[in-house]
């Protein structure tokens, strides 16, 4: 196998697949990237068995073939090469000669036979979405995923294709974020998956390469074909992301979203975020909560910690309901405010034991449960 | 012929010997006690073949005149008491007047003695209880007794002796005890012609411990001295975290007499509840003194056991005294001790003087307010008539009512002494290595984290300000009938500690809120553990203070998570928080939070 490639294209391609490789792989082959040369492009593939990524990059292929090389080392070398033109020559004993300008590397690889194949698309349920839209939706909910391994069901984002819409849901049991989008859902293709947190992170990272992303899934796995038509750094065709899904039943999230609205206030997102952020600066691990107090046309945010001090912030708002106050974990308030992009958000409150609900005009809901001092 | 008869003295003595002289070490014990009672300042003990072949005890006490010496070999003859009332004001080790005749009845017994006022000494030889001869001899003032062929007249007893090594170990232990009891007397112990230890007159107990138990042990001890009317405790106790697998190095003296006292032993173990892991025993060389009338030593012929007139009072006093001392040690003890060592002070002196940082010592009130009471003694838990256990005054921080708009801010940052340790690195994600002036310190992150959170939680519980995070998805928990009943009874107790649990059907509950620091995923397993603790009665809800601590102890062990990743700043913050706690040396389970490898230790390891 023999090819010539642009250094920056090669480095970009390797960067796409690099993250999947774990630091302590039990199988040495899993820390390698599979490089396949075919006609006018290369395929780069990595996998950790739960998650795999493949991308294609332009190359001048002189001789087709395949080899695997340790991806972290290789990416490090390619980035540093002196000349834009790189030539790659693999001998049948899997030793690779990499040369660029005056530098030459000889790298020992492993044959492609040991590399576990990525599962390909079958006749699963399939949808096509705008990349930008899916990225926004993912960012709007991903922070609410649980990182607690004992509740693995919650360690991911729930995708539900049902009732004429796609809903993305994440919760850690104390807060829940939902973002929905109207779309055509044929009855035969209705279904849902829980996409693991690691896949969500990789997917979000990859979703800016082109117009469309195609989703295929069944009960056990999901695959994303991310078009790369906008990308100019050598990627061709699409990036293929394959992932196992979290198997299990996602909790019924509908029932925790309050049906009625009690007190609703309109907030300037940035301003409110800054106020809460400042107030939270005095919070400690011991006293990690901020109190929100509503009085006529005034919103006050207070926080205190016994061994540091206290903070008080006030904001003018339009409010004419009864006085009320409720305390929240400041992170739970700030996370959705940071993730959203709209300038205006709505906050719905009821009393000190009822959840607070953030909403936007584009069918986003984030429910956060209050903290109480018993 | 009458069937009942009075036994001859010789037989009676042999019977008494069965009680008093059970093994060679008992001979040594009785004779060393006699020597000490005679005011000796130098005692030499020699034995061969585990005491079987020969035991020789020589002293420079006041000796005896010939008549006294002869009389001493009669039963119930003693110079130490005169009437029954004297038993209530005993100041001597012996008083029964049984030892000499008993020993003489089961061995070849040779006594040489001279009183200061006599010109010549007396030598008496008795063999198997039979009087052989008495004659003049030359010797300095004092007494020398040689016991050989022990148990020659009672072969059965001889067969029951253990190996020479075992018997020798008993003798060595016995002499050590008396050497500790009387640091001002010089002791020499010789086994088979080899000196086991030779300790000159020592001015303090510390020196004596170092002489006969070694410097290493002496360095891990701290002095203790406490008085209460009629009671006094002094001596040396182990630093928190220094423990042993057996109780052999827990040595207790009552009015100078080495004894096995369950009361005192348990009081010591109990005091170290928080400073040592379960199943480890503290090091202690303590002298307990009280009115001789308040203690009965005439329980056991060998006087190994004693009874106190008021056991709960004694127990309460010892626990108070030791806890108080351990709490004082809760400062940045080791670090400062090491610094004073660097400054050229002798280690032993550094240990004897008060090495604790000024900040802590000078502000006892403020420090007291942040002290978490260690586990109170069992006497109190059982509601016995013991003296009330001093509960630390609840400080301003604890009184801060969260509902008030501006709780007083606890201003204690300035007093906390954080040691100047240089962070070197983190090993295995758990052990932080520091370079200090005195050497190296290895900190167990888990243990330190538990200690910090333990105090944090106890503080929250005591202040009644437990932030409780309501859950979006209530957690179901199904219990068996007994556990369900237990839980139902304690719903309010749980609510005050951050858990909101609602009954949701028969033996079925829903957890609707958990303490803010807890991951929801840990709530159900933790509640099950907690119900288990309720069932075992280890969380007494009646005693709120104790329940808070037990709950916090369980929580830090089971449900407080160690942050997965750390950088230097976090480790530094942890150290600062740890040293702001009341007992930074140990985790709530009594495991050490850090260990110190001093320069001496390092040099030793590297053969430098």
């Amino acid at each position: 196998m023999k090819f010539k490639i642009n250094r920056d294209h090669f480095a970009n391609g390797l960067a796409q697949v690099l993250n999947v490789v774990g630091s302590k792989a039990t199988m040495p082959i899993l820390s390698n990237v599979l490089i396949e040369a075919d006609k006018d492009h290369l395929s780069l593939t990595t996998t950790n068995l739960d998650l795999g990524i493949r991308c294609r990059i332009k190359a001048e292929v002189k001789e087709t073939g395949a080899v695997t090389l340790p991806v972290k080392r290789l990416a490090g070398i390619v980035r540093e090469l002196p000349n834009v033109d790189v030539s790659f020559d693999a001998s049948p004993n899997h030793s690779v000669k990499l040369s660029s300008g005056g530098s030459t590397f000889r790298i020992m690889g492993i044959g492609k036979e040991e590399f576990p194949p990525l599962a390909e698309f079958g006749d699963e349920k399939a949808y096509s979405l705008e990349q930008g839209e899916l990225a926004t939706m993912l960012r709007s909910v991903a922070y609410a995923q649980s990182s607690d391994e004992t509740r693995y069901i919650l360690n991911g984002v729930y995708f539900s294709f049902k009732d004429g819409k796609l809903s993305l849901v994440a919760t850690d049991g104390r807060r829940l974020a939902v973002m929905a989008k109207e779309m055509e859902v044929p009855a035969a293709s209705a279904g849902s998956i829980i996409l693991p947190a690691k896949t969500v992170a990789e997917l979000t990272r990859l979703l800016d390469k082109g117009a469309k992303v195609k989703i295929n899934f069944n009960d056990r796995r999901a695959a994303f074909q991310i078009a790369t038509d906008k990308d100019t750094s050598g990627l061709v065709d699409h990036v293929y992301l394959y992932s196992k899904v979290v198997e299990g039943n996602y909790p019924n999230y509908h029932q925790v979203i309050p049906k009625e609205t009690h007190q609703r206030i309109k907030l300037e997102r940035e301003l409110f975020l800054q106020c809460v952020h400042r107030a939270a600066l005095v919070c400690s691990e011991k006293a990690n909560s901020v109190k929100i107090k509503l009085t006529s046309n005034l919103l006050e945010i207070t926080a205190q910690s016994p061994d540091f001090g206290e903070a008080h912030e006030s904001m003018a708002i339009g409010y004419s309901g009864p006085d009320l106050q409720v305390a929240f974990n400041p992170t739970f308030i700030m996370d959705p405010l940071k993730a959203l992009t709209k300038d205006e958000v709505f906050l719905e409150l009821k009393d000190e034991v009822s959840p607070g609900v953030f909403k936007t005009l584009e069918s986003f809901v984030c429910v956060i449960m209050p903290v109480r001092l018993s | 012929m009458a069937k009942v008869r009075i036994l001859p003295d010789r037989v009676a003595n042999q019977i008494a010997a069965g009680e008093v002289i059970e093994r060679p070490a008992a001979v040594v014990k009785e004779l060393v006690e006699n020597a000490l009672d005679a005011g000796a300042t130098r005692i030499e003990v020699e034995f061969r073949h585990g005491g079987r072949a020969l035991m020789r005890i020589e002293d420079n006490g006041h000796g005896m005149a010939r008549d006294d010496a002869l009389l001493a070999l009669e039963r119930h003859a003693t110079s130490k008491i005169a009437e029954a009332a004297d038993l209530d004001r005993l100041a001597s080790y012996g008083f029964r007047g049984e030892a000499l005749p008993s020993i003489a009845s089961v061995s070849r017994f040779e006594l040489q003695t001279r009183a200061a006022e006599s010109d010549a000494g007396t030598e008496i030889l008795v063999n198997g209880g039979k009087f052989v001869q008495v004659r003049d001899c030359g010797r300095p003032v004092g007494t020398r007794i040689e016991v050989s062929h022990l148990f020659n007249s009672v072969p059965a007893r001889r067969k029951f002796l253990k190996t020479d090594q075992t018997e020798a170990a008993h003798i060595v232990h016995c002499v050590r005890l008396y050497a500790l009891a009387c640091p001002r007397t010089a002791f020499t112990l010789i086994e088979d012609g080899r000196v086991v230890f030779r300790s000159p007159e020592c001015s303090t107990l510390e020196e004596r411990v170092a002489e006969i138990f070694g410097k290493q042990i002496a360095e891990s001890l701290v002095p203790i001295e406490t008085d209460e009317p009629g009671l006094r405790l002094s001596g040396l106790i182990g630093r928190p975290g220094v423990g042993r697998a057996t109780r052999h190095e827990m040595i207790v003296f009552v009015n100078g007499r080495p004894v096995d006292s369950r009361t005192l032993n348990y009081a010591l173990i109990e005091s170290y509840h928080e400073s040592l892991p379960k199943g480890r025993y503290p090091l202690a060389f303590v002298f307990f003194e009280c009115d001789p009338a308040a203690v009965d030593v005439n329980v056991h012929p060998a006087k190994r056991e004693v009874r106190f007139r008021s056991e709960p009072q004694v127990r309460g006093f010892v626990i108070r005294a030791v806890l108080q001392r351990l709490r004082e040690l809760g400062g940045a003890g080791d670090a400062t001790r090491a610094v004073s060592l660097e400054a050229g002070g002798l280690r032993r002196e550094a240990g004897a003087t008060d090495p604790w940082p000024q900040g802590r010592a000078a502000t006892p009130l403020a420090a007291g307010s942040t002290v978490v009471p260690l586990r109170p003694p069992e006497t109190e838990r059982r509601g016995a008539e013991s003296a009330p256990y001093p509960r630390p005054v609840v400080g301003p921080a604890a009184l801060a009512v969260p509902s008030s708009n501006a709780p007083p801010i606890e201003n204690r940052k300035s007093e906390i002494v954080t040691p100047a340790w240089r962070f070197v690195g983190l090993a295995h994600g758990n052990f932080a290595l520091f370079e200090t002036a005195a050497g190296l310190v290895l900190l167990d992150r888990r243990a330190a984290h538990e200690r910090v959170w333990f105090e944090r939680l106890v503080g929250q519980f005591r202040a009644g300000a437990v932030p409780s995070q309501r859950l979006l998805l209530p957690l179901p928990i199904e219990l068996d009938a007994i556990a369900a009943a237990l839980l139902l009874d304690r719903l309010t107790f749980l609510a005050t500690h951050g858990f909101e649990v609602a009954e949701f059907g028969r033996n079925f509950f829903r957890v609707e809120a958990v303490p803010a620091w807890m991951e929801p995923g840990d709530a159900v397993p933790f509640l099950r553990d907690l119900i288990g603790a309720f069932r075992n009665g280890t969380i007494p809800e009646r005693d709120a203070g104790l329940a808070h601590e037990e709950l916090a102890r369980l929580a830090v062990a089971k449900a407080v998570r160690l942050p997965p990743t750390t950088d230097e700043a976090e480790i530094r913050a942890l150290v600062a928080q740890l040293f702001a706690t009341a007992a930074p040396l140990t985790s709530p389970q009594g495991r050490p939070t850090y260990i110190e490898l001093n320069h001496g230790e390092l040099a030793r390891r590297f053969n430098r």
Side-chain angles (χ1 to χ4, degrees):
Chain A
M1 158 174 146
K2 213 170 176 183
F3 60 84
K4 275 196 172 161
I5 191 166
N6 177 303
R7 174 193 64 197
D8 298 334
H9 292 180
F10 199 13
N12 183 36
L14 289 169
Q16 304 304 323
V17 298
L18 192 61
N19 276 356
V20 169
V21 176
S23 50
K24 42 182 174 186
T26 43
M27 290 161 66
I29 191 81
L30 294 184
S31 49
N32 280 15
V33 55
L34 172 65
I35 303 171
E36 291 165 299
D38 193 16
K39 277 188 249 162
D40 57 350
H41 66 261
L42 293 185
S43 291
L44 302 176
T45 312
T46 55
T47 179
N48 62 13
L49 298 180
D50 290 336
L51 174 62
I53 298 185
R54 184 179 63 218
C55 69
R56 295 209 163 122
I57 41 177
K58 282 187 281 199
E60 212 177 294
V61 178
K62 293 188 177 137
E63 203 180 294
T64 58
V67 72
T68 77
L69 291 175
V71 63
K72 295 224 154 131
R73 280 289 184 81
L74 180 65
I77 291 169
V78 170
R79 263 199 306 272
E80 304 291 325
L81 288 175
N83 201 315
V84 170
D85 296 319
V86 178
S87 73
F88 186 105
D89 190 348
S91 63
N93 64 357
H94 314 306
S95 113
V96 169
K97 191 178 145 205
L98 194 67
S99 44
S100 164
S103 51
T104 307
F105 288 83
R106 182 166 293 281
I107 308 168
M108 295 311 297
I110 306 176
K112 72 165 276 191
E113 299 74 29
E114 288 181 42
F115 198 84
L118 282 197
E120 292 298 331
F121 278 92
D123 44 354
E124 288 108 341
K125 295 155 185 171
Y127 293 93
S128 183
L129 288 163
E130 294 291 327
Q131 286 192 25
E133 197 171 15
L134 182 60
T136 308
M137 289 177 78
L138 282 171
R139 268 192 279 271
S140 304
V141 301
Y143 54 82
Q145 295 173 94
S146 170
S147 57
D148 177 3
E149 279 160 24
T150 59
R151 305 177 92 194
Y152 64 95
I153 287 281
L154 304 183
N155 296 349
V157 169
Y158 179 67
F159 282 63
S160 160
F161 296 90
K162 205 175 144 190
D163 304 333
K165 64 182 177 188
L166 163 65
S167 306
L168 262 53
V169 188
T171 180
D172 64 1
R174 293 168 287 204
R175 53 171 165 176
L176 173 124
V178 184
M179 182 102 175
K181 167 194 151 56
E182 307 267 313
M183 66 185 284
E184 204 174 299
V185 180
S189 306
S192 60
I193 48 167
I194 305 167
L195 203 63
K198 170 104 182 166
T199 309
V200 170
E202 284 299 294
L203 181 60
T204 314
R205 185 177 64 83
L206 293 171
L207 281 177
D208 60 346
K209 308 236 166 339
K212 291 283 182 186
V213 52
K214 198 173 153 204
I215 308 173
N216 283 51
F217 67 90
N218 65 13
D219 295 348
R220 323 208 75 180
R221 57 207 169 93
F224 295 82
Q225 281 182 317
I226 300 150
T228 56
D229 38 10
K230 269 191 216 157
D231 202 278
T232 52
S233 51
L235 289 175
V236 292
D237 208 356
H238 56 250
V239 179
Y240 177 72
L241 175 80
Y242 156 86
S243 172
K244 287 191 180 160
V245 300
V246 181
E247 289 181 45
N249 292 323
Y250 206 74
N252 180 358
Y253 67 91
H254 293 289
Q255 69 184 28
V256 303
I257 299 173
K259 303 283 178 291
E260 292 163 27
T261 299
H262 293 270
Q263 307 305 331
R264 183 180 172 113
I265 51 175
K266 191 163 87 172
L267 291 166
E268 262 183 76
R269 187 180 60 87
E270 288 274 347
L271 184 64
F272 186 51
L273 175 60
Q274 284 163 8
C275 286
V276 174
H277 179 71
R278 277 196 299 269
L281 293 176
V282 303
C283 287
S284 64
E285 279 176 281
K286 225 190 279 187
N288 194 16
S289 65
V290 295
K291 205 177 283 174
I292 291 179
K293 195 172 166 193
L294 291 184
T295 47
S296 178
N297 290 338
L298 184 67
L299 182 149
E300 288 168 277
I301 303 162
T302 54
Q304 62 200 24
S305 95
D307 38 34
F308 184 69
E310 56 179 271
H312 182 270
E313 293 276 338
S314 56
M315 271 174 81
I317 51 160
Y319 179 71
S320 55
D323 291 2
L324 68 83
Q325 68 174 27
V326 55
F328 294 106
N329 181 332
T331 316
F332 293 179
I333 300 181
M334 291 189 286
D335 280 345
L337 294 176
K338 281 180 197 158
L340 292 173
T341 49
K342 285 273 182 276
D343 287 339
E344 264 178 13
V345 292
F346 297 94
L347 176 59
E348 295 175 4
L349 298 172
K350 184 183 169 198
D351 56 37
E352 61 162 354
V353 294
S354 303
V357 184
F358 281 110
K359 286 184 179 168
T360 67
L361 293 175
E362 35 174 22
S363 62
F364 166 81
V365 177
C366 178
V367 184
I368 57 182
M369 292 305 280
V371 172
R372 270 218 303 167
L373 286 175
S374 54
Chain B
M1 189 175 140
K3 282 184 180 167
V4 176
R5 67 189 77 95
I6 292 184
L7 292 173
D9 268 3
R10 204 175 137 224
V11 181
N13 280 338
Q14 280 197 10
I15 293 171
E19 285 181 335
V20 183
I21 311 300
E22 45 178 4
R23 63 188 340 157
V27 173
V28 172
K29 171 187 172 293
E30 295 294 341
L31 298 180
V32 169
E33 281 185 356
N34 282 347
L36 290 168
D37 283 341
T41 58
R42 193 168 47 74
I43 297 176
E44 191 171 296
V45 179
E46 184 184 356
F47 65 95
R48 292 204 194 121
H49 297 295
R52 214 181 286 245
L54 171 86
M55 283 175 281
R56 177 177 63 82
I57 288 89
E58 194 164 352
D59 67 56
N60 65 349
H62 52 59
M64 286 179 283
R66 176 170 297 192
D67 293 348
D68 283 344
L70 285 170
L71 202 56
L73 288 170
E74 295 298 323
R75 231 146 75 83
H76 305 307
T78 184
S79 60
K80 297 172 188 178
I81 58 171
E83 50 182 289
D86 288 346
L87 283 174
D88 280 345
R89 39 179 189 268
L90 280 175
S92 57
Y93 286 109
F95 56 86
R96 294 167 67 105
E98 285 179 332
L100 287 188
S102 299
I103 298 168
S105 72
V106 292
S107 67
R108 183 178 181 278
F109 181 92
E110 194 184 315
L111 179 146
Q112 287 187 349
T113 183
R114 179 167 84 89
E117 57 276 11
S118 322
D119 291 337
T122 307
E123 183 183 289
I124 301 173
L125 183 63
V126 181
N127 197 353
K130 275 181 260 172
F131 193 81
V132 178
Q133 58 167 325
V134 51
R135 62 180 186 193
D136 281 354
C137 72
R139 64 153 290 120
V141 174
T143 307
R144 168 194 148 118
I145 293 175
E146 238 184 72
V147 175
S148 47
H149 309 301
L150 186 66
F151 299 137
N152 58 357
S153 54
V154 269
R157 182 56 74 109
R158 206 177 169 91
K159 281 188 190 132
F160 277 97
L161 289 180
K162 301 280 189 293
T163 60
D164 283 3
Q165 285 92 331
T166 312
E167 297 300 340
H170 282 283
I171 293 175
V172 171
H173 181 67
C174 167
V175 178
R176 275 181 170 181
L177 287 183
Y178 285 93
L180 287 174
C182 308
R184 287 171 200 284
T185 304
F187 273 85
T188 308
L189 178 63
I190 303 166
E191 177 185 3
D192 295 336
R194 189 174 55 84
V195 176
V196 176
F197 69 81
R198 184 191 299 278
S199 174
E201 295 174 34
C202 298
S203 52
T204 62
L205 179 63
E206 285 92 326
E207 288 178 37
R208 184 45 66 83
V209 171
E211 286 277 353
I212 61 179
F213 282 88
K215 287 225 161 53
Q216 224 179 352
I217 287 188
E219 279 167 14
S220 54
L221 297 169
V222 289
I224 179 171
E225 192 160 350
T226 315
D227 274 303
E228 260 182 37
L231 302 170
R232 187 179 138 82
L233 188 76
S234 61
L236 299 167
I237 56 172
R239 291 179 182 282
V242 180
R244 292 286 184 268
T246 66
R247 54 181 81 186
H248 289 311
E249 280 158 62
M250 251 170 79
I251 293 169
V252 178
F253 302 89
V254 172
N255 290 342
R257 186 190 302 280
V259 294
D260 268 336
S261 162
R262 283 173 68 90
T263 311
L264 293 176
N265 282 349
Y266 279 113
L268 282 168
I269 294 170
E270 184 105 30
S271 312
Y272 274 84
H273 176 80
E274 246 205 8
S275 310
L276 283 178
K278 235 183 200 157
R280 302 282 290 175
Y281 297 95
L283 283 176
F285 301 93
V286 291
F287 291 81
F288 176 78
E289 280 158 54
C290 62
D291 179 5
V295 54
D296 185 2
V297 291
N298 196 10
V299 178
H300 183 272
K303 308 179 197 88
R304 282 299 290 166
E305 285 173 28
V306 292
R307 273 195 204 132
F308 295 104
R309 205 140 289 173
S310 169
E311 305 241 324
Q313 188 199 353
V314 169
R315 183 192 172 91
F317 165 70
V318 171
I319 292 178
R320 274 195 303 280
V322 177
L323 277 184
Q324 174 65 31
R325 188 69 178 109
L326 290 176
R327 239 178 259 163
E328 287 168 23
L329 296 177
D334 277 18
T336 37
R337 178 168 60 96
V339 171
S340 67
L341 185 71
E342 282 285 291
L346 270 174
R347 179 164 273 263
R348 221 183 287 150
E349 284 172 9
T353 56
D354 186 12
W356 318 120
Q358 282 290 320
R360 224 158 238 287
T363 54
L365 248 179
S369 71
T370 62
V371 160
V372 171
L374 301 167
R375 183 187 171 128
E378 224 162 7
T379 46
E380 194 200 18
R381 232 181 293 158
R382 293 203 189 113
E385 75 282 28
S386 66
Y389 175 73
R391 199 165 280 292
V393 183
V394 174
L399 284 175
V401 182
S403 58
S404 76
N405 278 332
I409 288 154
E410 201 178 343
N411 199 1
R412 57 174 223 235
K413 283 268 152 65
S414 53
E415 297 158 18
I416 293 161
V417 182
T418 308
W421 293 352
R422 192 177 73 78
F423 179 69
V424 178
L426 189 67
H428 299 293
N430 193 33
F431 300 104
L433 180 66
F434 296 90
E435 182 186 273
T436 68
L440 296 173
V441 160
L442 268 172
L443 177 90
D444 181 350
R445 258 182 82 212
R446 173 88 222 173
H449 187 74
E450 284 185 7
R451 164 56 66 189
V452 169
W453 272 95
F454 174 75
E455 303 217 346
R456 216 172 255 176
L457 295 180
V458 170
Q460 280 185 1
F461 293 158
R462 196 171 306 139
V466 185
S468 173
Q469 169 70 56
R470 290 183 63 80
L471 295 180
L472 197 60
L473 309 164
L475 302 159
I477 175 167
E478 191 173 6
L479 298 168
D480 61 68
I482 298 173
L486 278 167
L487 186 62
L488 268 179
D489 284 349
R490 286 165 182 81
L491 290 182
T492 40
F493 175 83
L494 289 176
T496 55
H497 292 90
F499 283 100
E500 278 176 45
V501 182
E503 202 181 1
F504 199 62
R506 194 178 156 75
N507 300 340
F508 200 81
F509 296 84
R510 280 185 6 165
V511 183
E512 291 180 343
V514 299
W517 47 266
M518 185 179 274
E519 280 292 335
D522 292 336
V524 170
F526 180 72
L527 276 174
R528 288 190 186 276
D529 285 342
L530 191 59
I531 292 166
F534 284 139
R535 204 182 265 197
N536 296 337
T538 44
I539 298 192
E541 302 103 89
R542 263 171 289 126
D543 183 343
L546 195 56
H548 289 157
E549 280 169 38
E550 286 301 322
L551 192 59
R553 207 186 304 280
L554 193 62
V556 294
K558 302 277 184 185
V560 171
R561 300 225 180 148
L562 192 62
T565 53
T566 42
D567 52 17
E568 185 179 344
E570 274 181 60
I571 300 269
R572 293 205 155 281
L574 180 66
V575 171
Q577 287 164 357
L578 178 67
F579 279 92
T581 62
L585 301 183
T586 55
S587 79
Q589 276 80 30
R591 293 195 311 270
T593 49
Y594 64 85
I595 52 176
E596 213 170 0
L597 290 170
N598 58 34
H599 291 305
E601 170 83 19
L602 291 170
R604 197 153 52 234
R605 294 280 175 106
F606 288 108
N607 297 332
R608 281 208 278 190

